[in-house]
Amino acid sequence: MSHPVPELSIVIPVFNERDNIVPLVDEILAVPGLGRFEIVCVDDASSDDSLAVLRAKAVTTPALRVVAQPRRRGQSAAMRSGVLAARAPWVATLDGDGQNDPADLPGLLAQRDAAAAGVKLFAGWRVQRRDSGSKRLASRWANRIRTALLRDDTPDTGCGIKLFEREAFLRLPAFDHMHRYLPALVQRAGWQTQSVPVRHRPRTAGASKYTNLSRALVGIHDLLGMLWLIRRGGAARHDAVEITREGAVP
């Protein structure tokens, strides 16, 4: 029996979140106003039993699809795998740790419906962070440095909850940690982005996969790469082809 094509695909990269992922899926299922949607969870070769937990949940949850990466490739690769597997024209992303509130998804959809067709990304903006003081401070400085260098006019690129057009995302260059630079990449391609205030929640189980030092070291390398991309961005812009919500129109 064929199933209706979903209007929204919710992609969730998962790495060692066996205690968080099922409650998160249940929360999504309870959110009103999402229309026809699917949930695509991408297990990034978890070393715990997250994959087994997801597969068991999928047996009783028709909206849930599970993608398993055979080896760990990182959050950006897991996100891209989920977008490639997605069947809807629009994709929302959430972090697998449960700190993003699925109840914010209808607000992002409402912003999309009210925006011009040239806006391809709606990025969550955590106006009240629920992380440790050191993590908030490190993130604040990282955002200031990134904004000064990339001029992406985005107060919070690290927020996991985002909404974007699938076709536009797949036209962006793919590289490790690209998920942290989606606004700059979308703007580089000639489209617009919009930041949307969202809630943020404390982690209730498991542990963060990053330290402030690891983020800083990776961030320096990534920023240099992004600066190079932006300076060479003219040839990659998609101004000649406008992707509308119905498809690509010359």
Side-chain angles (χ1 to χ4, degrees):
M1 183 176 67
S2 62
H3 297 280
V5 175
E7 301 166 322
L8 176 69
S9 295
I10 302 170
V11 171
I12 309 174
V14 177
F15 178 71
N16 289 355
E17 299 290 358
R18 58 104 52 221
D19 294 320
N20 291 315
I21 192 58
V22 168
L24 179 58
V25 169
D26 287 337
E27 277 193 283
I28 296 169
L29 294 172
V31 174
L34 295 181
R36 294 192 310 273
F37 68 91
E38 65 177 358
I39 305 170
V40 182
C41 287
V42 183
D43 183 76
D44 191 28
S46 293
S47 57
D48 66 4
D49 62 342
S50 293
L51 180 57
V53 168
L54 280 168
R55 284 174 169 165
K57 180 66 173 175
V59 171
T60 58
T61 309
L64 176 60
R65 300 169 60 208
V66 179
V67 176
Q69 300 199 140
R71 59 182 179 84
R72 190 177 181 194
R73 299 175 57 205
Q75 186 172 345
S76 287
M79 179 188 293
R80 186 172 178 82
S81 293
V83 175
L84 286 169
R87 297 179 297 156
W90 281 81
V91 174
T93 60
L94 297 168
D95 285 340
D97 57 15
Q99 290 193 258
N100 304 134
D101 191 342
D104 284 318
L105 290 173
L108 266 68
L109 291 170
Q111 292 291 328
R112 178 203 63 183
D113 293 341
V119 183
K120 304 299 184 182
L121 169 68
F122 299 84
W125 173 13
R126 296 165 293 184
V127 292
Q128 189 171 4
R129 294 285 297 270
R130 298 296 185 181
D131 291 317
S132 66
S134 62
K135 195 171 183 179
R136 292 198 305 270
L137 181 61
S139 180
R140 187 178 304 122
W141 277 106
N143 277 321
R144 287 176 179 174
I145 294 169
R146 188 208 69 255
T147 301
L149 292 177
L150 303 185
R151 303 185 184 278
D152 59 2
D153 193 28
T154 303
D156 183 11
T157 62
C159 183
I161 183 167
K162 293 181 174 69
L163 175 69
F164 51 80
E165 193 176 58
R166 179 180 182 271
E167 180 71 16
F169 177 89
L170 292 176
R171 286 173 174 254
L172 302 178
F175 55 90
D176 199 12
H177 305 120
M178 70 167 289
H179 67 280
R180 298 177 183 169
Y181 298 95
L182 278 183
L185 288 169
V186 170
Q187 292 170 23
R188 169 184 176 270
W191 299 310
Q192 297 172 337
T193 66
Q194 183 174 321
S195 294
V196 182
V198 296
R199 289 173 282 264
H200 191 235
R201 309 185 293 190
R203 174 185 276 274
T204 59
S208 174
K209 310 307 183 293
Y210 304 99
T211 65
N212 290 337
L213 179 60
S214 67
R215 286 178 185 272
L217 293 176
V218 169
I220 293 171
H221 186 268
D222 290 342
L223 268 175
L224 293 175
M226 280 299 305
L227 285 170
W228 182 87
L229 273 175
I230 289 172
R231 288 181 182 133
R232 303 203 32 107
R237 291 175 66 88
H238 302 302
D239 298 3
V241 177
E242 172 60 29
I243 299 176
T244 71
R245 287 169 192 157
E246 290 74 36
V249 179

